[in-house]
Amino acid sequence: MALEDDARQAVPGTPGMRADGGGATRRRPLRERHVEETVEVAVPVRTAYNQWTQFKTFPRFSTVVRGVEQIRPTVTAWTIGYGPLRHRFAVEIVEQDPDAYLAWRGLEQNPSHQGEVEFRPTGSGGTAITVRMLLEPRGAAGILTRSSRAVRLTARLVRGELVNFKGFIEGLGQEGGAWRGTIRNGRVQHDRPEPPRSRVAQWPVG
């Protein structure tokens, strides 16, 4: 299946990566982008972030997301579409900081994209959510994506989805779940290293 093949492939040359003081690779916010949209929601940052991490609930408020499936801890498969039209693609979370930041990249070869979402507290106790996207089609599709019309349509879609999320989370008043893990360079970070294991499956050493 093409989706599974894409999900297993590493996508080289991801821009915006840097090493922090501890030697871990962290993602710098997108400098080049086609789309940037912000919406303020009347819930605290923790609530907004927690609900955003519940990807499987996106079809409940989105006009285009039809389903989300977890493939691996950092990889999900998204099905989007209008009416009978459907498109399924894999996305990898490459950076995630609780209550602050989440960055992803599409695992499709053509077209592909990168994106990030930031969560910032507002003076009123709410949250400013900013989504940025960089579309990266190859070949002839690149001409279409670089057109101002395509960028406007994408920006309108992102804006609409943010407004839908605002109505959804404000209507709930609290998150319906949360994932509070940290991701660096596509890998979930564990607070403590796992104990060594023997060659016999499920048998920890000691």
Side-chain angles (χ1 to χ4, degrees):
M1 186 175 179
L3 171 66
E4 294 174 351
D5 291 341
D6 287 344
R8 283 193 295 264
Q9 292 176 357
V11 179
T14 302
M17 305 302 289
R18 62 181 173 83
D20 64 15
T25 302
R26 302 190 63 181
R27 185 182 178 94
R28 180 179 295 147
L30 287 173
R31 292 185 176 182
E32 180 185 358
R33 50 189 172 268
H34 287 122
V35 172
E36 179 173 340
E37 296 291 335
T38 300
V39 70
E40 291 190 10
V41 299
V43 297
V45 167
R46 186 182 180 92
T47 300
Y49 173 86
N50 284 348
Q51 185 59 53
W52 189 277
T53 64
Q54 301 304 288
F55 301 131
K56 290 185 178 181
T57 67
F58 272 54
R60 294 177 59 185
F61 63 84
S62 172
T63 58
V64 295
V65 179
R66 300 301 178 226
V68 182
E69 178 186 355
Q70 193 80 39
I71 304 298
R72 296 201 303 269
T74 61
V75 177
T76 50
W78 294 66
T79 300
I80 63 173
Y82 286 103
L85 300 177
R86 294 289 185 273
H87 177 58
R88 191 166 184 258
F89 58 95
V91 167
E92 179 187 26
I93 303 298
V94 294
E95 183 86 4
Q96 189 162 340
D97 288 309
D99 300 334
Y101 184 74
L102 185 152
W104 72 89
R105 59 183 175 185
L107 296 181
E108 291 181 299
Q109 295 302 306
N110 188 24
S112 188
H113 73 286
Q114 297 180 59
E116 63 187 11
V117 55
E118 290 185 327
F119 301 83
R120 303 183 308 278
T122 64
S124 60
T127 306
I129 304 174
T130 297
V131 172
R132 303 182 187 93
M133 289 181 62
L134 174 63
L135 308 178
E136 300 179 299
R138 296 167 177 84
I143 299 175
L144 175 62
T145 301
R146 284 192 295 269
S147 71
S148 59
R149 181 173 181 271
V151 171
R152 287 197 302 271
L153 288 174
T154 303
R156 188 182 307 165
L157 176 62
V158 171
R159 177 68 184 178
E161 296 295 83
L162 280 173
V163 171
N164 290 342
F165 179 77
K166 170 183 171 68
F168 180 68
I169 187 58
E170 289 181 351
L172 290 176
Q174 61 183 10
E175 63 268 42
W179 190 80
R180 304 288 302 174
T182 297
I183 296 174
R184 293 283 181 267
N185 199 25
R187 294 180 179 274
V188 178
Q189 303 298 294
H190 299 284
D191 293 336
R192 288 176 292 182
E194 297 182 358
R197 294 184 176 272
S198 71
R199 290 188 175 89
V200 180
Q202 308 301 324
W203 286 20
V205 174

